[in-house]
Amino acid sequence: MKAASKKKSLLHLARQAKPASARTGKADARLLDAEQFLLPTYKRQPVVMTHGRGAYVFDSAGKKYLDFLGGIAVNALGHAHPRIVRVIRREAARAIHLSNLFHNAYQGPLARKLAGWSGMERVFFSNSGTEAIDGAMKLARLFGRKSEEAPGTAAKKHRFLALENSFHGRTFGAISVTSTEKYRLPFAPVVPGAEFVRFDDVADLEAKFDDTVCGILLETVQGEGGIYPVSEVFWNRARALATQHGALLIADEIQCGLGRTGRRFAYQKFSAKPDIVLIAKPLAAGLPLGAILTTEQVASRVSPGMHGTTFGGGPLACAVALEFLKTVEDEKLLENIRMRGEELRDGLMKLAAKFGFIREIRGEGLMIGVELSIEGAPFVSEAMQRGLLINCTHDFTLRLLPPFIITRAQVRDFLRLFENVLAATQQQASAPDSGKSADPGRLVHAAAR
C-alpha cells in the first residue's frame, strides 16, 4: 500500500511539472517513464534538464538556471566548454574504447600529468570515485600483508580507520568506511575491520591507531558531511601514526581535489603528503573517470592480474581529462577559484550578518557550505524556483560547488538571487521551534554524492 501511494505521488509530481508540454496539458512522458522504470535511488526534481552553456543549464521549458551545484562538483569547466567539446568530437570519431590489453595514446600522458600535479608516482584509472576507494583499500591490505602471511589467511594488519561524518561512496568497500548509518547498515554485514574516529579528534585517533591498521582514509575537506576541512594538526598526526605503524594515509580528494579549493589538491596546504590520493568527479569534465594516485613503494607490491578494469582509462575519457587539466593551467583557473571564492565568502558573510538563521560559513575556494539553524530543503526548492541550482547536504548545510570558470558578475548574480531566496523563506526560518538542531554528530544526510 505504501509503495503504491508513493508511486501515485511521484506520478502526480510528473503531471504537475509538465515542463515540455505545459501548453498541451499532458504529462511529460519522460518523467512518467523515469518514475515507472528507474530504480528509486534519488529524489529527483520533476523537471527535465536538456542542455547547458557555461555556468548555466536549461530545462525543457527553456527556463535558465545559474548552476552553483555543478553536477555535484563534476562540471568544473561548466557546460559545453569549447575545448572539451572539440576533444570529445575528435576522439569519438577515432576510438571510444580499446581495452587495457593495449596502450592508448592518452593514458600514459595523463598519468604523467597527474603525477606532476600531485607529487605521486603511479596511477591506476577507474570508472568512478567509489571504485577508486575500493581499489585503495585493496592496496592498503596488500601493502600491509607480510611475506610470511599466506594468501587467503587474515593478515594481522587489516583494519581501516575512517572519520565520523565521512562519505566515501556506494560500493561495498566504500560503504564499509562511510560512517553515516543510513548508507551502511541496510547492507550489513559490510567489509569487516573498519572503525570510525571522531572528526578532527587527535586523542581519539591515537587511541584507535595500532599495528593492526593497514590504512586510514580521510576526506581532506568533507563534502557530503557538510564541508568540513581537516585541520593541519589532525592531518600531521595521522601522517605520523601511519608512518609509525606501517599503514597508508589515503586522501579522498574525489570532491575537493583537482582545483576545487584553489590548489591542485587540498592536501597541498599541508607539508606532509599522503601515500594514496583518490580522484574522480571533475577529472574528465563529466565523463566517468576516476583514479588512484600512489607512490612507487606502494605500487611495487602490485603485479599483473591483482587489479583491473574494463572501462577505466579509455582513450576518449583520458583525452578529455588531459584537456581538462591543460585548460585549468592555460586559463589560470586556480587563481580564478581563489578570487571568486573570496568574493563569494565575503558576500555570504554579509548575508550571515543580515539573516540570523545562518550559523556558519565553511569551506575553501569554490567548495562552500552555508550551515543553517533549520532544515535547508525549502531553500533549495525556493532557489530552483528562482533559477538557481544549489543543494542541501547533512540536512542543514547548503552546499555551493560552482564551476571554476565562474565570473565576478556571476558571483554577484548568485549573491542577489541567494539573498532573495533567504528572504523568501525567512518566515519559516523564524518559526519559534523547528524541532531540529544542526548537530553534525547526529544528522542524516539529505543528498548523495
Side-chain angles (χ1 to χ4, degrees), residues 349-419:
M349 291 302 293
K350 292 176 183 177
L351 292 179
K354 185 174 182 180
F355 296 96
F357 51 84
I358 296 179
R359 294 187 56 177
E360 188 177 13
I361 310 297
R362 294 187 296 272
E364 301 174 16
L366 292 178
M367 184 178 185
I368 297 176
V370 181
E371 185 181 322
L372 309 178
S373 60
I374 63 164
E375 288 189 343
F379 296 87
V380 175
S381 298
E382 182 66 27
M384 191 166 184
Q385 289 295 318
R386 293 173 180 269
L388 175 63
L389 299 184
I390 58 176
N391 90 319
C392 178
T393 185
H394 225 275
D395 284 354
F396 294 88
T397 301
L398 301 179
R399 178 167 49 172
L400 310 178
L401 300 164
F404 298 175
I405 60 167
I406 205 80
T407 66
R408 179 177 294 151
Q410 288 165 341
V411 169
R412 288 197 300 266
D413 287 346
F414 164 81
L415 292 169
R416 175 183 54 80
L417 285 168
F418 193 56
E419 182 172 7

Side-chain angles (χ1 to χ4, degrees), residues 105-129:
Y106 302 104
Q107 204 176 84
L110 176 58
R112 172 185 282 275
K113 175 69 78 172
L114 288 170
W117 268 44
S118 65
M120 297 289 110
E121 296 162 309
R122 293 280 183 164
V123 179
F124 173 85
F125 292 109
S126 63
N127 302 293
S128 65

Side-chain angles (χ1 to χ4, degrees), residues 163-227:
L163 302 190
E164 291 183 357
N165 210 41
S166 61
F167 181 88
H168 293 292
R170 302 285 191 171
T171 48
F172 247 93
I175 62 170
S176 302
V177 291
T178 290
S179 72
T180 308
E181 291 184 348
K182 77 168 189 176
Y183 295 138
R184 180 166 41 86
L185 295 188
F187 307 102
V190 294
V191 177
E195 187 172 5
F196 298 101
V197 175
R198 287 192 293 273
F199 181 80
D200 234 23
D201 188 326
V202 171
D204 196 40
L205 175 68
E206 292 173 339
K208 291 173 178 174
F209 218 126
D210 61 25
D211 284 340
T212 66
V213 174
C214 65
I216 174 168
L217 295 93
L218 55 83
E219 298 158 274
T220 320
V221 181
Q222 289 189 335
E224 177 67 15
I227 317 298

Side-chain angles (χ1 to χ4, degrees), residues 1-10:
M1 186 69 182
K2 186 177 179 181
S5 175
K6 179 181 177 183
K7 182 175 181 180
K8 183 177 179 182
S9 175
L10 292 170

Side-chain angles (χ1 to χ4, degrees), residues 317-363:
C318 285
V320 171
L322 203 52
E323 191 68 16
F324 163 70
L325 298 175
K326 290 177 180 177
T327 302
V328 171
E329 292 174 337
D330 295 346
E331 298 185 7
K332 296 179 172 55
L333 292 182
L334 294 181
E335 181 181 352
N336 190 63
I337 291 164
R338 292 190 291 268
M339 292 173 62
R340 302 291 85 80
E342 185 175 348
E343 292 165 3
L344 191 53
R345 283 189 298 276
D346 286 348
L348 289 169
M349 291 302 293
K350 292 176 183 177
L351 292 179
K354 185 174 182 180
F355 296 96
F357 51 84
I358 296 179
R359 294 187 56 177
E360 188 177 13
I361 310 297
R362 294 187 296 272

